[in-house]
Amino acid sequence: MDASGLSPALSPPLTESRSAPAWRARLVEFLLVGGITPFLFPLAWLLRRAVGLDDAQLAVGFTTFYAAHLINDPHFSVTYILFYKRVHARAFGTEYSAAQRARYIAAGFVVPVALAAWAVIALRTKSPHTLGLMIQLMFLSVGWHYVKQGFGVMIALSARRGVRFTKTERWAILAHCLTGWFYAWASPFDPGREVEEKGVVYMTVRHPHGLELATHVIFLLTIIPLAFVLIRKWRREGRLPIVTPLVALLSSIWAWSIYSSIDPVVVYIVPALHSIQYLYFVWLMKRNQARELEGPPHFVSVNVRIVTIALGAVLLGWVLFHGAPSFFDDAFVSKRAALDSPLGATPYFAAIYAFVNIHHYFMDSVIWRRENPETRYLQAA
C-alpha cells in the first residue's frame, strides 16, 4: 500500500458506516495493521530466555521462511492481480483520468521493461556491480514503501473513524515518514563494503560522512511538528480516536524500518507484519467490492471471490519466488562455474526478487491513489 506526493493514498474523506464495527473487529484490525508489534518484543525475550538465542532464531526463522508462501509472497503477487485487471480499459479507456492513465502505463509497462533490461544486461555480462546496483535500489524502494504504506494506512483508518487531516497536517505526518525512511537507509554508516545478497557478491555504494547523524537529527526534529499537529487537532476538535491508525504509522516507521534489527528474533517477523498490514487492506477493498457484485447479474458470493483472489495470489507468489527462479537458474547456470562466480548459483533468483520488489512499489503508487475508483470500496465498514 503506497501513496505519492501530496495526494496520499486514500486521503479524501472516507465515511464510516452508521453501525460501527464491534469491538472484536476493531481489536482484530488493531492487531493486523501493526498493533501486535509491541507485544512481540517481550514474547521474543521470553523465547530467548527459555530456549536460548540460537534455537529461538532457528525456530522463528524456520517458521517465517515457510509462512512466506502464504503471507509475504502473496503480498507481492496480489499486486499484479489487482494492477493488471482490465488492463486495456485502464491504460487506454475512460476508467482512469488522463493523469492516472499516464501513471498506469508508466508503472505497468515502462518500469518493468526498464527493470527487465537492467536485469538481462547484468546477467548477460555476469556483472555483480550492475546486479548489485539493482539490489541496492530494491532496498531503497522497500524502505520507502514501508513508510509510505504506514502513511497511507494512517490516513485511511483515521478517515474511517471520522478524523480528516488538512494538507498541512498531512505534510507533518509525511515528513516524519520520509525522514524516517532516509535515516533508516543511511544507518549504519556504509563506507562501501563487500556484501552478499541472494548469492550475489557486490560492493555497496559508499555513504558520505555525517549522513547518518544528519538524517537522524532531521528525523528526530520532525517529531515536534507531528506531535504539535496531533495535539492541536485534539484540542480543536475535542476528540482524536486514532490509536489504531497512529500505532500502524509508528510501527511502520519505528519498529519495521528504523529499529527493525533491535531484536534478533523479531527482525525475522517484520516482513510478515508489513505484508499482513497490506493484505488487510486488499481484503477490505475486495470484500466490499465483492459485496456490491454479489447480486444480479453476477450472483457470485463474496467468499468465492475472496478465495479465488487468495488462491491466485498464493499460486502466482510461488511462480515468482520459487518456480520461475528455480527454472532459470537450473537451466542457465552451471553449478560448477557458479562456485567461482560472484553472481553465485542463483543469479536469476536475485534478479527476479529485485525486479518484483521494485515493481511492486511502482504498481502500489497507482493502485492506492485516490484517483483509482476502486479505493471507494474502502469507505464501507
Side-chain angles (χ1 to χ4, degrees):
M1 184 175 181
D2 195 12
S4 301
L6 284 179
S7 299
L10 317 175
S11 61
L14 301 177
T15 59
E16 190 175 24
S17 172
R18 291 183 179 179
S19 57
W23 69 269
R24 290 186 183 85
R26 285 294 179 90
L27 176 60
V28 170
E29 181 176 76
F30 171 79
L31 296 174
L32 291 178
V33 301
I36 196 174
T37 305
F39 301 102
L40 293 177
F41 291 98
L43 290 176
W45 180 82
L46 291 173
L47 181 62
R48 293 200 306 274
R49 286 292 300 271
V51 302
L53 176 59
D54 291 342
D55 287 342
Q57 286 182 310
L58 179 62
V60 174
F62 178 86
T63 301
T64 54
F65 175 82
Y66 286 100
H69 289 76
L70 299 177
I71 301 175
N72 301 64
D73 297 349
H75 134 262
F76 287 105
S77 58
V78 76
T79 307
Y80 285 92
I81 295 174
L82 298 179
F83 187 89
Y84 286 104
K85 183 180 180 181
R86 299 193 305 276
V87 59
H88 187 272
R90 292 174 171 179
F92 307 107
T94 59
E95 183 171 337
Y96 285 163
S97 65
Q100 183 74 346
R101 284 200 303 273
R103 296 187 193 99
Y104 186 84
I105 292 172
F109 301 97
V110 178
V111 169
V113 168
L115 290 174
W118 188 344
V120 168
I121 291 172
L123 294 169
R124 291 292 298 273
T125 60
K126 295 181 171 58
S127 171
H129 174 70
T130 303
L131 191 53
L133 289 175
M134 187 175 183
I135 293 171
Q136 290 175 87
L137 176 61
M138 174 189 73
F139 287 128
L140 189 68
S141 67
V142 164
W144 179 286
H145 174 61
Y146 268 49
V147 300
K148 290 296 286 295
Q149 177 168 303
F151 174 67
V153 170
M154 166 77 170
I155 298 299
L157 292 182
S158 296
R160 286 172 60 82
R161 287 155 172 77
V163 178
R164 299 168 180 83
F165 295 94
T166 66
K167 181 183 292 187
T168 301
E169 292 166 344
R170 292 200 303 270
W171 261 117
I173 300 170
L174 188 59
H176 190 65
C177 294
L178 297 185
T179 55
W181 156 73
F182 200 21
Y183 170 55
W185 175 78
S187 175
F189 168 68
D190 188 350
R193 302 168 294 128
E194 185 178 80
V195 298
E196 182 270 336
E197 180 67 31
K198 302 294 183 291
V200 180
V201 180
Y202 61 93
M203 290 294 297
T204 60
V205 176
R206 182 181 182 276
H207 292 180
H209 281 290
L211 180 64
E212 181 182 7
L213 177 61
T215 54
H216 194 190
V217 170
I218 295 171
F219 168 68
L220 293 177
L221 288 175
T222 62
I223 297 175
I224 299 173
L226 176 65
F228 174 77
V229 299
L230 292 177
I231 294 172
R232 185 183 64 174
K233 194 173 188 66
W234 172 68
R235 295 184 63 181
R236 184 177 67 243
E237 299 182 7
R239 71 186 190 96
L240 201 61
I242 58 169
V243 173
T244 295
L246 192 57
V247 167
L249 175 77
L250 297 180
S251 293
S252 299
I253 301 171
W254 288 76
W256 303 349
S257 300
I258 299 175
Y259 302 114
S260 59
S261 60
I262 195 172
D263 187 285
V265 174
V266 176
V267 67
Y268 286 97
I269 310 174
V270 167
L273 297 174
H274 165 81
S275 300
I276 290 169
Q277 185 188 70
Y278 184 91
L279 290 172
Y280 173 73
F281 273 82
V282 173
W283 170 81
L284 194 64
M285 183 172 70
K286 302 310 291 184
R287 179 201 62 175
N288 292 334
Q289 183 183 34
R291 284 175 174 174
E292 183 179 285
L293 300 175
E294 195 171 22
H298 305 283
F299 296 108
V300 179
S301 72
V302 172
N303 290 338
V304 169
R305 290 184 182 274
I306 297 299
V307 170
T308 300
I309 294 173
L311 292 177
V314 171
L315 176 60
L316 181 58
W318 181 87
V319 171
L320 291 174
F321 293 103
H322 303 278
S326 296
F327 171 80
F328 287 112
D329 284 324
D330 290 342
F332 299 109
V333 179
S334 167
K335 300 307 178 186
R336 179 175 298 179
L339 294 176
D340 300 320
S341 172
L343 291 183
T346 57
Y348 284 89
F349 173 53
I352 293 172
Y353 189 86
F355 176 100
V356 173
N357 271 268
I358 298 170
H359 193 208
H360 173 69
Y361 165 72
F362 281 96
M363 289 188 292
D364 267 3
S365 67
V366 175
I367 293 172
W368 300 105
R369 289 187 71 93
R370 61 181 176 181
E371 289 86 353
N372 179 8
E374 290 192 353
T375 59
R376 68 184 176 87
Y377 292 112
L378 290 165
Q379 298 178 22

